[in-house]
Amino acid sequence: MDQVVAARVTRRTVGAIADGGFKVLLAAVYIAGAGPLGQLLGAPGWLMVVSGVALLIGGGIEIGYTRSRSMRTYTHLMIAYDSGWVLTALAGLLTAWCGGSAGGEVWMGYQTAAPLVFAALLVAADPV
């Protein structure tokens, strides 16, 4: 008799999928609104597009690996990613408040590199 084994969907799994989905959605916004958003943030349009592509890749990989990687790995990576996001946002704000013009570039630079690092670490992690 064939037995169907259903993957257990937990709140963590839903959270990982939602996190990846948010990155994909944010990627679309960055790419579609690169010019106006870039001006608002003080970052060049090309950086907005590159960041959008990086977020699209990172979010897609994050969604795609939910069944084959442990949720513990996901949780650790999401905490590290979000902690860096907050610290970089604060650094960008501090730069802007001090009169610097690179605050948006700092923040967008993180959002370009971090999703790719997240995705690489997720791909390299041991399968479940």
Side-chain angles (χ1 to χ4, degrees):
M1 181 172 11
D2 290 330
Q3 200 173 15
V4 176
V5 178
R8 185 170 168 221
V9 178
T10 65
R11 287 187 295 176
R12 283 187 177 183
T13 305
V14 172
I17 292 170
D19 191 72
F22 179 77
K23 287 177 181 150
V24 169
L25 179 63
L26 193 59
V29 170
Y30 284 177
I31 293 168
L37 280 174
Q39 286 180 342
L40 180 67
L41 294 172
W46 67 265
L47 182 56
M48 300 298 296
V49 172
V50 171
S51 182
V53 170
L55 279 165
L56 186 61
I57 292 167
I61 288 174
E62 189 172 348
I63 292 167
Y65 276 78
T66 53
R67 291 184 179 200
S68 64
R69 297 300 186 263
S70 79
M71 284 302 111
R72 183 177 181 166
T73 298
Y74 267 92
T75 301
H76 289 171
L77 289 174
M78 286 189 289
I79 289 169
Y81 180 95
D82 290 346
S83 297
W85 193 87
V86 169
L87 292 174
T88 306
L90 291 173
L93 284 171
L94 184 61
T95 301
W97 284 336
C98 291
S101 61
E105 290 174 345
V106 167
W107 194 55
M108 293 311 299
Y110 177 81
Q111 291 190 59
T112 302
L116 299 177
V117 171
F118 183 107
L121 291 172
L122 189 60
V123 169
D126 291 331
V128 173

